Amino acid sequence: MRFGHIVFIVLAWILLFTSVYAEVKRYEIKSGKVEYTVRGDGQIMGMKMSTKGTYSIVFKEWGKVEVTKGVTESTIPMQGTQVENEWSKFDNGKIFWVDEEEKVIVTADMASGMFEQDGKNFTKMGREMLEQNGGKLIGHEKLMGYKCEVWQWGNESKIWIHKGIMLKSEVSMMGITTVEEAIKVDFNVKTTSSDFALPNYPVKTMEEAYGQMDGDLSPEEKALMQEMLKGLGSMGQ
């Protein structure tokens, strides 16, 4: 597995914790399709990183099932420029990452128990989790014609939320600033089973798929990985 895939997995876990509304609160809209642009740059351990790309989400059942798919071009230390096809599915608390290089789907159970009972106030839960992680509601703005809550944590990170759905985010973490912004929005649309289909690859846990990956990394790559994981761990403090 290339180091770019490791970086994507770590960043995906970071996204699950930073975009609290997007992955825990779920949505106040029954279905939808949203397209985004992505741009990011900065330095980690004195090494410059940059990213640009696009991705889309499609969801149903108020966000209980969602597929994210996109392409990014990243300049990563020691790896040069890489193009990644990023594809994941969230399904009632479980998340699945498609690793096209290894032809495998990696799964993790994030919070399936949260979806076992109907009627939970995920809007309230999402706000509380943002506040517990230092988030503050600083105002309201319109994006793409939709009224959004604007949340801020730290001095440089913001997220714009419309009924639980992220329409824009500006996140600064470990020296990297990444901006994601919606460019096309369609809510309460008809979806089909093909919108949520994944490749017919074997499904494995992260340990089964990447349990030996540490031995494949150079000392520099291990140091970068440790730095990223350290930043992830500090988020819960």
Side-chain angles (χ1 to χ4, degrees), residues 65-228:
V65 181
E66 176 179 291
V67 166
T68 302
K69 191 173 183 180
V71 178
T72 58
E73 180 180 296
S74 301
T75 301
I76 301 172
M78 302 163 289
Q79 294 292 310
T81 299
Q82 297 184 355
V83 176
E84 300 284 355
N85 294 304
E86 300 168 359
W87 194 353
S88 64
K89 181 176 183 178
F90 183 88
D91 191 342
N92 289 278
K94 291 186 177 181
I95 189 163
F96 303 84
W97 289 284
V98 178
D99 186 334
E100 289 285 7
E101 181 177 296
E102 301 294 333
K103 304 299 182 186
V104 66
I105 295 174
V106 184
T107 185
D109 192 342
M110 301 300 297
S112 59
M114 296 180 67
F115 298 92
E116 292 176 355
Q117 299 179 17
D118 293 330
K120 288 191 176 182
N121 190 335
F122 289 108
T123 301
K124 181 180 178 181
M125 289 174 61
R127 289 193 178 109
E128 290 174 349
M129 291 181 71
L130 279 170
E131 291 172 348
Q132 289 170 5
N133 284 276
K136 295 180 180 180
L137 179 62
I138 61 173
H140 295 81
E141 294 181 17
K142 274 195 172 182
L143 291 178
M144 304 292 291
Y146 297 98
K147 184 178 180 180
C148 298
E149 292 183 347
V150 184
W151 287 80
Q152 178 174 339
W153 66 99
N155 295 322
E156 300 177 341
S157 297
K158 295 181 182 180
I159 186 168
W160 286 253
I161 303 293
H162 173 71
K163 294 189 175 181
I165 297 149
M166 185 274 288
L167 294 186
K168 182 178 179 181
S169 69
E170 296 177 356
V171 177
S172 295
M173 184 179 298
M174 297 176 286
I176 304 295
T177 298
T178 303
V179 178
E180 302 181 6
E181 190 166 5
I183 56 174
K184 184 177 180 181
V185 179
D186 292 303
F187 290 139
N188 295 313
V189 297
K190 183 178 180 180
T191 61
T192 66
S193 59
S194 63
D195 290 323
F196 303 96
L198 297 180
N200 189 25
Y201 297 158
V203 178
K204 298 183 179 181
T205 65
M206 190 172 294
E207 291 77 12
E208 290 171 337
Y210 305 132
Q212 301 303 317
M213 69 180 181
D214 187 66
D216 298 330
L217 302 182
S218 69
E220 293 82 5
E221 290 171 340
K222 290 180 181 179
L224 178 57
M225 186 67 161
Q226 290 170 357
E227 187 73 15
M228 296 179 74

